[in-house]
């Protein structure tokens, strides 16, 4: 039966079958690409933000951000029950040779420094995607107070999701670039004893500082990033509307093709086939065209989201993909999206073929033979 | 009347028709298997280095976007303030 189905497709409906496969694969690729990108962005954000500080306190004034006195800020934060391990951060955005870079000047723990030696004054460790001249391993930073540092290493390429544009400097160098005094910090990172208090504790924290502060929390950040991921996928899904319309037309045409061959089914039934045989033949034909088309469409979408050097192709119609790379691949998230798209496209297609073929082949063979006259 | 087939040939088989179906099936299975294997192997510890450095450097946002992009440090942005006026946007 399978061989018969293939022979019927290839010898009698070759053009239509190839066109059907291309259309199905394109519809699957468009829908799966948008949803996979959105899911991968959400997974990446959620995964990494779990390791971000629970709260960040920034001092603000009428001009916006202002440096805060590190020791005084730590002392104020310690007064608030539930706030743990307040630590000043030295960081900011400075001009680099090819655009802005994120400078970090925190003192790190000894364990992480075993993998990469900390920079001394005049030295820097830079992110894997920061371009650097191959001959001169020096980097000029800053537009106001500027300095040139020797690059002594790069963060591992596997850490690019966190360190892509980061320049790690000695604290004194970072302070100089960011115009901070020796006792000042950019802001204050705080952990919480009860993470459920993330929203409630902010009022107590704000009241504990003698100057106006702005507090950002991890949950809000996660929500903001999640919304960005959903919006990215949502906007991309708008582009899929014509593809979904095409999918409906494909399903309808698959049914109409069966209905137009009633005389043929009458002939088969006159030769001894049953209605179930005809329906089975249709299902085999639909599977021969549908299964490879859906799998190829899913594989193309998967490769373009999760294989970095193929992402620019996806960016041709999803601009958000141009700015991201090396997304986190969640087995649950990506697997569910792939299954969802496969069933979303495959089931209506098979159901339409089955129902129409059953209806078109049901009846007396003689009536079917007369149907096309 | 002759059928064009040699005498004694089995008229009930469809010579070679099953092979393309098998090829299509094998290609589909290979692609699906490759995706499943990639998902299985890559999803284990693929971002360990990233979150270790994120925690060590006390970073608050992943670097899916380069510095200067509004999404790079969105926690510092205020809805009422144009991002061009932000202290975290560096002018050329």
């Amino acid at each position: 039966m399978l061989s018969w189905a293939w022979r019927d497709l290839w010898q009698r409906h070759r053009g239509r079958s190839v066109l059907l496969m291309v259309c199905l694969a394109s519809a699957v690729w468009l829908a799966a690409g948008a949803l996979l990108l959105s899911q991968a962005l959400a997974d990446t954000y959620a995964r990494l933000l779990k390791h971000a500080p629970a709260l960040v306190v920034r001092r603000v004034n009428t001009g916006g951000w202002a440096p805060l006195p590190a020791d005084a800020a730590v002392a104020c934060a310690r007064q608030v029950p539930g706030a743990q391990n307040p630590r000043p951060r030295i960081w900011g955005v400075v001009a680099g040779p090819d655009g802005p870079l994120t400078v970090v000047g925190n003192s790190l723990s000894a364990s992480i420094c075993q993998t990469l030696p900390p920079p001394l004054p005049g030295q820097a460790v830079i992110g894997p995607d920061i371009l650097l001249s191959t001959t001169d391993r020096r980097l000029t930073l800053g537009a106001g107070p500027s300095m040139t540092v020797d690059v002594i290493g790069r963060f591992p390429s596997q850490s690019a999701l966190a360190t892509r544009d980061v320049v790690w400097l000695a604290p004194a160098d970072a302070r100089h670039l960011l115009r901070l005094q020796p006792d000042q910090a950019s802001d204050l990172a705080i952990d919480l004893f009860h993470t459920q208090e993330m929203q409630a504790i902010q009022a107590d924290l704000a009241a504990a500082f003698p100057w106006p502060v702005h507090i950002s929390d991890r949950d809000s950040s996660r929500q903001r990033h999640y919304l960005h991921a959903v919006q990215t996928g949502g906007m991309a899904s708008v582009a899929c509307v014509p593809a979904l319309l095409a999918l409906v037309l494909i399903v309808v045409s698959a049914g109409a093709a069966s209905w137009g061959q009633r005389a043929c089914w009458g002939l088969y039934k006159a030769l001894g086939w049953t209605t179930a045989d005809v329906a089975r033949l249709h299902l085999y034909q639909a599977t021969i065209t549908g299964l490879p088309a859906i799998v190829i469409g899913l594989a193309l979408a998967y490769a373009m989201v999760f294989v970095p050097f193929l992402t620019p192709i996806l960016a041709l119609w999803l601009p958000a993909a141009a700015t991201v790379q090396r997304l986190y691949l969640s087995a649950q998230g990506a697997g569910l999206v792939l299954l969802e798209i496969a069933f979303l496209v495959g089931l209506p297609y098979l159901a339409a073929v089955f129902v129409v073929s059953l209806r078109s082949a049901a009846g007396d063979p003689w009536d079917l033979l007369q149907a096309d006259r | 009347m002759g059928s064009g087939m040699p005498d004694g040939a089995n008229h009930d088989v469809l010579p070679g028709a099953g092979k393309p179906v098998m090829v299509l099936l094998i290609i589909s299975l290979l692609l699906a298997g490759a995706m499943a294997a990639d998902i299985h192997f890559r999803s284990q510890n693929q971002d360990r280095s990233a979150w270790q450095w994120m925690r060590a450097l006390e970073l608050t946002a992943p670097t899916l976007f380069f510095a200067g992009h509004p999404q790079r440090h969105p926690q510092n942005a205020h809805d009422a303030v144009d991002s061009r006026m932000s202290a975290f946007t560096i002018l050329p």
Side-chain angles (χ1 to χ4, degrees), chain A residues 85-100:
Chain A
N85 191 22
R87 53 218 182 264
R89 298 195 308 168
I90 302 166
W91 78 279
V93 181
V94 303
D98 295 313

Side-chain angles (χ1 to χ4, degrees), chain A residues 62-84:
Chain A
T62 50
W65 167 81
L68 50 76
D71 294 337
V74 169
C76 292
R78 284 204 172 116
Q79 295 172 5
V80 180
Q84 290 193 321

Side-chain angles (χ1 to χ4, degrees), chain B residues 5-53:
Chain B
M5 295 190 70
D7 290 341
N10 188 350
H11 291 240
D12 292 335
V13 297
L14 297 165
K19 286 180 186 171
V21 181
M22 291 307 294
V23 169
L24 279 179
L25 191 65
I26 288 170
I27 289 174
S28 304
L29 287 177
L30 280 178
L31 284 175
M35 279 191 287
D38 191 45
I39 287 175
H40 177 71
F41 290 114
R42 262 176 66 180
S43 59
Q44 295 169 355
N45 292 331
Q46 58 181 313
D47 62 342
R48 187 182 189 83
S49 180
W51 65 252
Q52 277 179 338
W53 280 104

Side-chain angles (χ1 to χ4, degrees), chain A residues 2-4 6-7 21 41 44-45 47-49 51-53 56 58 65 87 89 91-95 100-102 104 106 108 112 115-116 129-130 143 155-156 158-166 168 189 214 216 221 224-225 228 288 291-292 295-296 298-299 302 306-307 320 323-325 327-331 334-335 338, chain B residues 11-79 81 85-92:
Chain A
L2 206 56
S3 302
W4 185 281
W6 168 259
R7 190 198 65 88
M21 285 181 75
L41 277 173
T44 306
Y45 287 142
R47 179 91 175 173
L48 288 178
L49 286 175
H51 304 281
V56 172
R58 287 194 301 133
W65 167 81
R87 53 218 182 264
R89 298 195 308 168
W91 78 279
V93 181
V94 303
L101 297 171
T102 302
V104 176
N106 302 335
L108 307 193
I112 198 83
T115 59
L116 206 56
D129 288 357
I130 297 176
F155 293 108
Q158 296 89 347
S159 71
L161 280 172
T163 61
R164 194 173 154 200
D165 68 341
V166 172
W168 181 22
H214 174 263
S216 55
S221 182
R224 188 187 305 110
H225 283 90
H228 171 261
I288 289 171
L291 182 67
V295 173
I296 289 170
L298 290 178
Y302 179 87
F306 293 113
V307 180
T323 51
V324 301
Q325 51 180 279
L327 291 171
Y328 173 69
L329 171 59
S330 156
L338 292 174
Chain B
H11 291 240
D12 292 335
V13 297
L14 297 165
K19 286 180 186 171
V21 181
M22 291 307 294
V23 169
L24 279 179
L25 191 65
I26 288 170
I27 289 174
S28 304
L29 287 177
L30 280 178
L31 284 175
M35 279 191 287
D38 191 45
I39 287 175
H40 177 71
F41 290 114
R42 262 176 66 180
S43 59
Q44 295 169 355
N45 292 331
Q46 58 181 313
D47 62 342
R48 187 182 189 83
S49 180
W51 65 252
Q52 277 179 338
W53 280 104
M54 183 140 179
R55 179 182 282 175
L57 293 167
E58 305 279 2
L59 301 172
T60 46
T63 53
L64 287 174
F65 303 92
F66 227 72
H69 192 283
Q71 286 292 329
R72 175 65 180 100
H73 300 295
Q75 72 278 8
N76 301 316
H78 192 282
D79 293 340
V81 179
M85 308 302 171
S86 167
F88 296 91
T89 300
I90 300 299
L91 297 175

Side-chain angles (χ1 to χ4, degrees), chain A residues 30-42 225-240 317-318 320-321:
Chain A
L30 283 171
L35 285 180
L36 273 178
L37 180 67
S38 175
Q39 182 70 41
L41 277 173
H225 283 90
Y226 177 74
L227 280 177
H228 171 261
V230 171
Q231 283 171 356
T232 302
M235 291 305 291
S237 299
V238 173
C240 296
W317 70 280
L318 277 176

Side-chain angles (χ1 to χ4, degrees), chain A residues 67-331:
Chain A
L68 50 76
D71 294 337
V74 169
C76 292
R78 284 204 172 116
Q79 295 172 5
V80 180
Q84 290 193 321
N85 191 22
R87 53 218 182 264
R89 298 195 308 168
I90 302 166
W91 78 279
V93 181
V94 303
D98 295 313
L101 297 171
T102 302
V103 161
V104 176
N106 302 335
S107 300
L108 307 193
S109 67
S111 59
I112 198 83
C113 289
Q114 287 175 351
T115 59
L116 206 56
L120 299 172
Q123 296 179 337
V125 175
I126 63 174
D129 288 357
I130 297 176
L131 297 176
L132 202 63
S133 163
T134 50
T135 53
D136 183 15
R137 293 186 61 81
R138 291 171 71 79
L139 185 67
T140 301
L141 297 166
S146 65
M147 66 188 305
T148 302
V149 290
D150 293 323
V151 176
I152 59 166
R154 282 185 185 268
F155 293 108
S157 59
Q158 296 89 347
S159 71
L161 280 172
T163 61
R164 194 173 154 200
D165 68 341
V166 172
V167 178
W168 181 22
L169 296 176
D173 288 349
R175 282 198 174 96
H176 169 71
L177 274 175
L178 300 169
R179 294 177 178 160
L180 298 174
Q181 299 300 316
D183 62 333
Q184 288 182 327
S186 305
D187 52 30
L188 201 65
I190 297 174
D191 291 333
L192 294 178
F193 187 74
H194 289 298
T195 51
Q196 298 90 337
E197 290 181 330
M198 211 172 281
Q199 300 289 331
I201 204 171
Q202 292 184 26
D204 294 343
L205 262 177
F209 292 96
W211 53 78
V213 294
H214 174 263
I215 301 174
S216 55
D217 63 90
R218 188 170 55 207
D219 282 352
S220 303
S221 182
R222 189 183 296 158
Q223 183 70 14
R224 188 187 305 110
H225 283 90
Y226 177 74
L227 280 177
H228 171 261
V230 171
Q231 283 171 356
T232 302
M235 291 305 291
S237 299
V238 173
C240 296
V241 172
L244 291 177
L245 185 62
L247 184 65
V248 172
L249 292 175
I250 289 170
V251 170
V252 170
S253 71
S258 170
W259 193 261
Q261 291 180 287
R262 296 183 73 197
C264 182
W265 311 142
L267 183 62
Y268 285 177
K269 290 183 81 171
L271 291 170
W273 285 40
T274 62
T275 304
D277 290 333
V278 175
R280 200 177 304 130
L281 178 74
H282 275 92
L283 281 182
Y284 283 152
Q285 288 180 342
T287 307
I288 289 171
T289 50
L291 182 67
I294 290 173
V295 173
I296 289 170
L298 290 178
L300 282 174
Y302 179 87
M304 285 176 196
V305 172
F306 293 113
V307 180
F309 70 88
L310 291 177
T311 308
I313 301 174
L314 188 68
L316 291 177
W317 70 280
L318 277 176
T323 51
V324 301
Q325 51 180 279
R326 299 189 187 98
L327 291 171
Y328 173 69
L329 171 59
S330 156

